[in-house]
């Protein structure tokens, strides 16, 4: 059996990784935050309690990366790989005009974020032959519309839930600055929508809050959901077909509380797409792998 692929999804908030066999079977996975703390006595900023210990992993044959977090993150991840496998071949993907059954409708295909591209490839493989609306709740909230035959017709980018709350707190005199952890507690605590359900759905009136932190948390959550539901309904009307709403991202668990439309959750779309890109390159090593 050939050596597994190491897959790395470096997003704006954290790094997700997985080790997969050639057939796509995942054997190991994890995540760690950006910005490792210095380990006392080492002066090594790469070592962090948030990072995994890869010393017990089997030797991968290659690494495949999607990085939207910038050059500093790329150097940090590179150095982290070098600590364990300094000679490991690695490819940082970029978006292509066509790959793994997905056609890129961007005016300049390479300008599409590599995470969005890999995520669409993963979604297309998970739900073949279905029209899709892919909503990712991360630092930014992104939407991608994918036709049943795999054509990406376009998307949207909006501030993410946490970014929206933080912006309000930083630019208004009397509003608190909430982070995602605090906001999750507000949505999950007594009197919040999570505890006020009727037949499995959240009562609309439950989102009207009676204190400022909950008003801020719920208002920003509903701003996210209003965007998603509007575009989902518009796509169904335009395409005259059922559209599967696929949701993912770090804030998905909280925000889907407010959804009033059907959805499917899939939290490994980017890694799934990377696995397919790596497998395609292994099958045809002379083809353009769209390396950055």
């Amino acid at each position: 059996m050939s050596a597994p692929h190491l897959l790395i999804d470096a997003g704006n908030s954290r790094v997700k990784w997985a080790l997969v066999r050639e057939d796509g079977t995942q054997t190991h996975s994890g995540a760690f935050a950006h910005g490792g703390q210095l380990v006392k006595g080492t002066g090594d900023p790469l070592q962090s309690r948030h990072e995994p210990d890869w010393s017990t992993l089997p030797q991968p044959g290659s690494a495949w990366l999607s990085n939207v977090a910038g050059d500093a993150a790329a150097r940090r991840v590179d150095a982290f790989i070098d600590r364990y496998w300094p000679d490991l071949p690695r490819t940082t993907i970029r978006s292509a005009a066509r790959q793994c059954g997905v056609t890129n409708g961007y005016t300049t295909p390479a300008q599409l974020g590599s995470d969005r591209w890999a995520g669409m490839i993963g979604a297309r493989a998970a739900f073949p032959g279905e029209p899709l609306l892919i909503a990712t709740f991360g630092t930014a909230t992104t939407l991608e519309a994918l036709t049943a035959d795999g054509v990406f017709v376009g998307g949207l980018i909006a501030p993410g839930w946490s970014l929206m709350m933080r912006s309000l707190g930083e630019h208004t005199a009397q509003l608190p600055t909430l982070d995602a952890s605090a906001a999750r507690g507000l949505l999950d605590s007594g009197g919040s929508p999570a505890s006020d359900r009727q037949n499995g759905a959240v009562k609309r009136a439950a989102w009207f809050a009676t204190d400022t932190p909950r008003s801020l948390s719920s208002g920003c959550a509903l701003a996210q959901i209003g965007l998603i539901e509007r575009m989902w309904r518009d796509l169904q009307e335009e395409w005259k077909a059922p559209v599967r709403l696929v949701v993912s991202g770090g804030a998905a668990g909280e925000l889907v509380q407010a959804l009033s439309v059907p959805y499917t959750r899939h939290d490994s779309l980017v890694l799934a797409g990377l696995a397919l890109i790596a497998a395609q390159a292994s099958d045809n090593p002379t083809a353009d792998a769209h390396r950055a």
Side-chain angles (χ1 to χ4, degrees):
M1 183 178 294
S2 59
H5 300 298
L6 175 65
L7 311 176
I8 297 178
D9 170 20
N12 287 296
S13 299
R14 62 177 185 157
V15 179
K16 297 174 68 175
W17 64 273
L19 205 65
V20 299
R21 298 190 181 111
E22 196 68 38
D23 63 1
T25 303
Q26 187 178 111
T27 60
H28 303 78
S29 65
F32 57 91
H34 289 297
Q37 299 175 344
L38 288 172
V39 175
K40 186 175 180 179
T42 69
D44 183 358
L46 292 171
Q47 293 181 352
S48 166
R49 61 187 177 83
H50 298 294
E51 293 176 344
D53 179 4
W54 286 348
S55 61
T56 61
L57 294 183
Q59 169 79 38
S62 61
W64 293 80
L65 305 91
S66 165
N67 174 36
V68 297
D71 292 340
R75 290 191 296 270
R76 182 167 176 265
V77 170
D78 243 0
F80 191 57
I81 294 173
D82 285 341
R83 186 192 301 165
Y84 295 94
W85 309 292
D87 298 321
L88 184 67
R90 61 204 73 174
T91 299
T92 299
I93 70 157
R94 67 177 187 269
S95 301
R98 182 189 297 269
Q99 195 172 30
C100 297
V102 177
T103 300
N104 192 341
Y106 246 36
T107 303
T108 306
Q111 290 183 353
L112 178 69
S114 61
D115 56 343
R116 299 173 70 193
W117 180 242
M120 282 188 283
I121 290 173
R124 164 79 170 157
F127 312 107
E130 296 187 45
L132 303 175
L133 177 63
I134 305 161
T136 304
F137 298 108
T139 303
T141 293
T142 61
L143 290 175
E144 289 83 45
L146 199 62
T147 65
D149 54 355
V151 177
F152 167 52
V153 301
L156 297 172
I157 303 173
W161 182 45
S162 188
L163 184 59
M164 191 178 287
M165 290 185 292
R166 188 166 67 248
S167 179
L168 279 171
E170 291 174 350
H171 293 89
T172 55
Q174 297 185 3
L175 290 179
T177 301
L178 297 178
D179 61 16
S181 297
R184 289 182 182 117
L186 293 172
L187 289 181
D188 292 340
S189 60
S192 72
S195 62
D196 198 359
R197 297 177 179 271
Q198 200 170 51
N199 297 324
V202 178
K203 295 180 184 178
R204 287 183 175 88
W207 291 97
F208 285 96
T210 55
D211 62 71
T212 299
R214 286 186 177 85
S215 297
L216 179 58
S217 179
S218 295
C220 290
L222 287 173
Q224 302 284 313
I225 296 306
L227 170 67
I228 306 306
E229 293 188 353
R230 163 68 186 271
M231 299 316 300
W232 179 79
R233 291 188 172 97
D234 283 358
L235 276 181
Q236 295 218 127
E237 182 177 346
E238 180 177 342
W239 289 350
K240 308 299 181 187
V243 175
R244 181 188 291 269
L245 173 60
V246 183
V247 301
S248 66
E254 287 70 37
L255 295 179
V256 296
Q257 296 180 47
L259 277 172
S260 61
V261 301
Y263 67 90
T264 301
R265 186 165 176 182
H266 193 312
D267 286 321
S268 300
L269 289 175
V270 176
L271 293 175
L274 283 172
L276 291 166
I277 293 169
Q280 183 184 71
S282 297
D283 291 341
N284 188 8
T286 60
D288 179 8
H290 307 288
R291 303 185 179 200

